[in-house]
Amino acid sequence: MYKSEKKAALALVAVLATPLAAQAADFSLSVYGGYQTAPHSSVSGTDGVDPFDFTTGWEGKSFDMPPYYGVRGTYWVSETFGWIADFTHSKVYADEDDMADNGFSTLEFTDGLNNLTVGPIWRWPGAWDKFTPYASVSAGIIIPHVEVTTANTDTLEYQIAGPTIALVLGASYELNDRWDLFTEYKGSYSQLDVDLDGGGNLESDIITNALNFGVTYKF
């Protein structure tokens, strides 16, 4: 984990510290991994000299280093409703042919799109015996590691790049009073607007889809 990712993770912990101190019994911490993909999207802007505007495919490469993962804290206000703070290290690599056709040798966010969101969550205990379905929608910011190289720019840095929203639909299984297992679908939509060295910028709306598997510890 790089410094900016550590800062984001620490920010997540800080967001969750207050409700944890207030009522620890209603707080849970989850970690997850899984398989993440991203459909095609348009990429536009300028590298400081030449404009570009094209559509590219993206690869998630979930299990390549650094892998796809997430950390989520949940504060349950009641048996059925709560609030989450969620940090997800998702990533995308542009298609090699699309890059070559448009003058890019690198176009990727492989040290993370890094979505940090907060929002409400609902659950329905007992709906499926020991399985509890849940749903959440959250919004926040995206902190990508921008890796863009053309003849006129070589950008390699973390930035705060714009807004992001996320949708989660899943189900948890209670192992005991402290531990749950869960699986879920998580989708996100992010509006990237990043600066490039040399005076350029790049914009792209990126959607990610992920099938997650994780474990939850209940305090």
Side-chain angles (χ1 to χ4, degrees):
M1 185 182 290
Y2 290 86
K3 289 183 179 179
S4 293
E5 287 183 75
K6 288 181 179 178
K7 290 180 180 178
L10 289 173
L12 173 64
V13 173
V15 168
L16 298 170
T18 300
L20 174 58
Q23 195 170 358
D26 294 327
F27 179 79
S28 62
L29 185 65
S30 305
V31 294
Y32 56 88
Y35 179 66
Q36 172 249 311
T37 63
H40 288 63
S41 69
S42 62
V43 177
S44 61
T46 173
D47 65 2
V49 177
D50 298 319
F52 51 84
D53 189 352
F54 62 97
T55 297
T56 185
W58 300 101
E59 292 185 77
K61 298 185 181 180
S62 304
F63 307 112
D64 289 359
M65 294 298 294
Y68 166 84
Y69 67 89
V71 180
R72 178 184 305 140
T74 306
Y75 174 60
W76 293 104
V77 178
S78 70
E79 185 69 15
T80 58
F81 177 78
W83 296 94
I84 65 166
D86 201 351
F87 173 79
T88 306
H89 174 85
S90 54
K91 55 182 184 170
V92 289
Y93 303 69
D95 178 82
E96 292 184 1
D97 291 338
D98 293 334
M99 285 194 297
D101 290 344
N102 292 278
F104 286 74
S105 54
T106 305
L107 173 54
E108 58 191 52
F109 304 93
T110 53
D111 283 317
L113 288 170
N114 299 320
N115 309 72
L116 180 61
T117 63
V118 295
I121 184 170
W122 298 265
R123 65 180 175 183
W124 296 269
W128 301 337
D129 194 16
K130 281 197 172 184
F131 289 91
T132 298
Y134 60 88
S136 176
V137 60
S138 57
I141 59 173
I142 188 165
I143 312 168
H145 188 255
V146 184
E147 301 176 50
V148 176
T149 304
T150 70
N152 304 305
T153 188
D154 188 3
T155 304
L156 186 69
E157 63 183 16
Y158 286 97
Q159 298 183 26
I160 296 177
T164 184
I165 59 174
L167 171 69
V168 172
L169 300 171
S172 63
Y173 178 80
E174 185 178 54
L175 293 176
N176 52 47
D177 290 342
R178 289 297 184 186
W179 295 96
D180 288 354
L181 299 177
F182 66 90
T183 184
E184 65 186 23
Y185 163 79
K186 181 174 184 178
S188 69
Y189 170 75
S190 304
Q191 292 184 331
L192 272 73
D193 186 353
V194 300
D195 297 325
L196 302 181
D197 290 347
N201 78 293
L202 181 148
E203 296 182 23
S204 185
D205 293 348
I206 297 180
I207 295 171
T208 64
N209 296 292
L211 179 61
N212 296 333
F213 300 92
V215 60
T216 295
Y217 180 77
K218 296 170 287 187
F219 291 85

